[in-house]
Amino acid sequence: MELNHRYSLVKLPKDTDLVLCLLREELKATKFFNTLMAAGIDDCYYEPHLGTVILACMGFDEVTDKLMEFYLETLAKHSEALEPDNEVIMKEALRMYETLRKFR
């Protein structure tokens, strides 16, 4: 799967590129559904939860409660920082990726 980003100063491995793509989508979805919740529309059945897939793609063998709690806290923090700008979204995905990588 070739995802080609504008941020190709370095060639990323395909598995890293996939994780970044999933993180970008997870961040955008979280921002969207948190905005709906703030407007009083919550408990939506259609909200995606890609955490276990993302963590598996990153090589985490087991998704413990501690790891998932850290993932969700990190996701909330980074989704709050989003703006409707692809560059900002990509930077937050990269920051979140690095934070998760350091958790190991």
Side-chain angles (χ1 to χ4, degrees), residues 42-79:
D42 59 351
D43 196 29
C44 184
Y45 178 77
Y46 300 104
E47 183 175 0
H49 298 284
L50 303 174
T52 53
V53 173
I54 291 168
L55 293 170
C57 288
M58 289 184 71
F60 287 94
D61 295 329
E62 183 181 356
V63 178
T64 63
D65 289 342
K66 182 178 177 182
L67 173 58
M68 186 52 75
E69 182 179 333
F70 180 76
Y71 174 84
L72 293 173
E73 288 171 1
T74 305
L75 178 63
K77 175 186 166 194
H78 288 278
S79 68

Side-chain angles (χ1 to χ4, degrees), residues 15-96:
D15 57 338
T16 303
D17 204 29
L18 175 62
V19 170
L20 288 173
C21 180
L22 291 171
L23 280 172
R24 285 179 54 228
E25 297 308 313
E26 179 86 315
L27 284 164
K28 290 189 297 184
T30 300
K31 178 75 169 189
F32 176 74
F33 283 100
N34 285 347
T35 302
L36 288 178
M37 190 175 358
I41 304 168
D42 59 351
D43 196 29
C44 184
Y45 178 77
Y46 300 104
E47 183 175 0
H49 298 284
L50 303 174
T52 53
V53 173
I54 291 168
L55 293 170
C57 288
M58 289 184 71
F60 287 94
D61 295 329
E62 183 181 356
V63 178
T64 63
D65 289 342
K66 182 178 177 182
L67 173 58
M68 186 52 75
E69 182 179 333
F70 180 76
Y71 174 84
L72 293 173
E73 288 171 1
T74 305
L75 178 63
K77 175 186 166 194
H78 288 278
S79 68
E80 285 177 16
L82 290 188
E83 297 174 16
D85 179 314
N86 285 329
E87 190 170 326
V88 172
I89 295 167
M90 188 61 191
K91 285 180 182 178
E92 286 305 317
L94 286 164
R95 287 182 184 121
M96 184 169 172

